[in-house]
Amino acid sequence: MFAKFATRQFSSTASSAYKVSILGAAGGIGQPLSLLMKLNHKVTKLSLYDLRLGAGVATDISHIPTNSVVKGYGPEDNGLSKALEGADVVLIPAGVPRKPGMTRDDLFNTNASIVRDLAKACADHCPNAAICVISNPVNSTVPIVAEVLKSKNVYNPKKLFGVTTLDVLRASRFLSEVAGTNPVHEHVTVVGGHSGITIVPLISQTNHKNLPKETYDALVHRIQFGGDEVVQAKGGAGSATLSMAQAGARFASAVLDGLAGEKDVVEPAFVDSPLFKNEGVEFFSSKVTLGVDGIKHIHGLGELTNAEQEMINTAKETLVKNIEKGVNFVKQNP
Ligand code: NAI
């Protein structure tokens, strides 16, 4: 029994070895995300950085017998640079979460400078890493990271991602609830951005194109504002953490699969995108094929209904403002 288990583990880790660093690793998202990355056999080095408790979380997780060495760091003794040195993938869930009544944009003032400073450290210590931004507001924090990397001449648009996977998970789950199906088999492409009306699920591209209008409208609204359900249910103690950790781990795993040269690795993500650049929308979420150099291909949106087209037009108006806010923040507070 034991021998069989050991053989299986050994063969699945033989082909690839990556260092993943998590910044904000002791937080509500950071802890379960760190656990899930410890279970990923492509990860051989796992660095956990936080302002507090990084070493504690790392020691705890390090007792799990998978093939990675876990190290925890805090701000003392150049902890951040040590955590990032040699990283292939950096996951950033550092920052404050929402409380009831707050929008993601309300987090901007606090999180913008946290993300800016972490991006500077990435530029200095792991300029070739794939950076996956979870900290909200994603529509603005991703442009912040891009501006910082540009200012340090290390910007690689193929390796910067805003993680929108939670919207994809929610869309599968909520669609399956109205359709009476198994969510595992529901794959919904979600495009646009990661906040309220910028989240656009393409239900017409699923097997459920003919939902009654009322059901469809309620479903779209629930996907766009599903995060509020969690914020309210937690009553001021935070926003989605466990489902977000699962989403972040799924996205990070896809990035690692791409780096390892696996075929047909596709996930939606908020990226520097050519789709609507001519309209001033520098970043947009759509399906992305991941490869050995990061983004291999950014997919178009496919065929849309009038209702979806209208939602995308509305999303673009908000995205332009959110993106500009991030860019201006770095210009004014370099
Ligand atoms: P949390 O408050 O539980 O954890 C945040 C952690 O970041 C804390 O441990 C804190 O010490 C750490 N931190 C703060 N500043 C830091 C710095 N400069 N360097 C390193 N660590 C730092 O918050 P939670 O719930 O984990 O949420 C984190 C972020 O993720 C929030 O901005 C939240 O809005 C966002 N989020 C994003 C989602 C998405 O779909 N992209 C979904 C849910 C939340």
Side-chain angles (χ1 to χ4, degrees):
M1 183 73 183
F2 178 74
K4 199 171 162 193
F5 178 65
T7 313
R8 244 184 35 198
Q9 270 206 339
F10 190 69
S11 62
S12 65
T13 56
S15 61
S16 43
Y18 296 99
K19 174 169 172 173
V20 171
S21 302
I22 303 183
L23 311 182
I29 295 168
Q31 292 203 29
L33 179 59
S34 300
L35 169 63
L36 292 171
M37 295 319 294
K38 176 69 177 136
L39 302 180
N40 185 312
H41 292 295
K42 285 197 174 72
V43 181
T44 48
K45 290 182 184 165
L46 184 59
S47 274
L48 306 183
Y49 174 79
D50 202 301
L51 298 181
R52 45 158 211 120
L53 216 59
V57 173
T59 304
D60 188 353
I61 282 180
S62 74
H63 291 183
I64 297 169
T66 52
N67 188 33
S68 48
V69 174
V70 187
K71 289 200 173 144
Y73 303 93
E76 62 287 344
D77 302 329
N78 293 323
L80 183 53
S81 54
K82 287 179 194 157
L84 291 173
E85 217 69 64
D88 299 291
V89 177
V90 180
L91 307 175
I92 309 184
V96 291
R98 289 190 290 158
K99 290 196 158 54
M102 286 173 92
T103 66
R104 292 178 180 87
D105 195 47
D106 294 333
L107 301 172
F108 185 92
N109 288 340
T110 312
N111 289 353
S113 51
I114 294 176
V115 170
R116 176 200 58 199
D117 294 346
L118 294 174
K120 283 183 189 171
C122 292
D124 291 343
H125 304 292
C126 54
N128 295 320
I131 301 176
C132 307
V133 184
I134 294 169
S135 316
N136 272 316
V138 165
N139 295 354
S140 302
T141 50
V142 172
I144 286 174
V145 175
E147 282 309 298
V148 169
L149 298 179
K150 280 179 199 167
S151 74
K152 291 188 169 256
N153 293 319
V154 291
Y155 180 48
N156 178 356
K158 292 189 169 142
K159 287 198 166 175
L160 175 59
F161 307 92
V163 181
T164 60
T165 320
L166 183 53
D167 304 320
V168 177
L169 301 195
R170 287 185 179 134
S172 298
R173 177 73 220 179
F174 300 163
L175 174 60
S176 78
E177 286 178 18
V178 299
T181 52
N182 182 343
V184 171
H185 303 309
E186 296 296 354
H187 303 287
V188 188
T189 300
V190 184
V191 301
H194 173 68
S195 71
I197 54 166
T198 69
I199 298 169
V200 182
L202 303 181
I203 304 295
S204 72
Q205 297 178 9
T206 70
N207 292 327
H208 309 284
K209 359 181 158 325
N210 297 318
L211 292 174
K213 182 168 176 349
E214 228 170 78
T215 309
Y216 171 80
D217 288 347
L219 173 64
V220 169
H221 186 271
R222 191 171 179 213
I223 294 167
Q224 292 182 323
F225 295 93
D228 296 356
E229 291 179 18
V230 184
V231 172
Q232 272 152 24
K234 289 192 176 176
S239 59
T241 55
L242 302 171
S243 50
M244 180 58 231
Q246 165 61 13
R250 169 166 145 177
F251 187 73
S253 161
V255 171
L256 290 168
D257 291 348
L259 292 179
E262 291 178 22
K263 298 257 175 305
D264 301 323
V265 183
V266 181
E267 282 288 340
F270 186 68
V271 297
D272 188 324
S273 170
L275 292 185
F276 299 108
K277 256 194 211 288
N278 60 351
E279 297 173 51
V281 189
E282 297 286 333
F283 294 83
F284 199 84
S285 176
S286 70
K287 279 202 279 193
V288 163
T289 299
L290 296 155
V292 291
D293 298 316
I295 296 172
K296 192 168 164 193
H297 176 62
I298 295 173
H299 298 242
L301 302 186
E303 212 173 302
L304 305 173
T305 61
N306 289 341
E308 286 164 352
Q309 188 59 62
E310 228 167 83
M311 282 192 279
I312 282 166
N313 293 342
T314 311
K316 284 191 287 195
E317 284 169 26
T318 302
L319 281 172
V320 168
K321 291 182 207 150
N322 293 162
I323 293 164
E324 204 180 10
K325 192 169 176 180
V327 171
N328 287 341
F329 173 80
V330 179
K331 287 197 173 131
Q332 285 154 18
N333 309 277

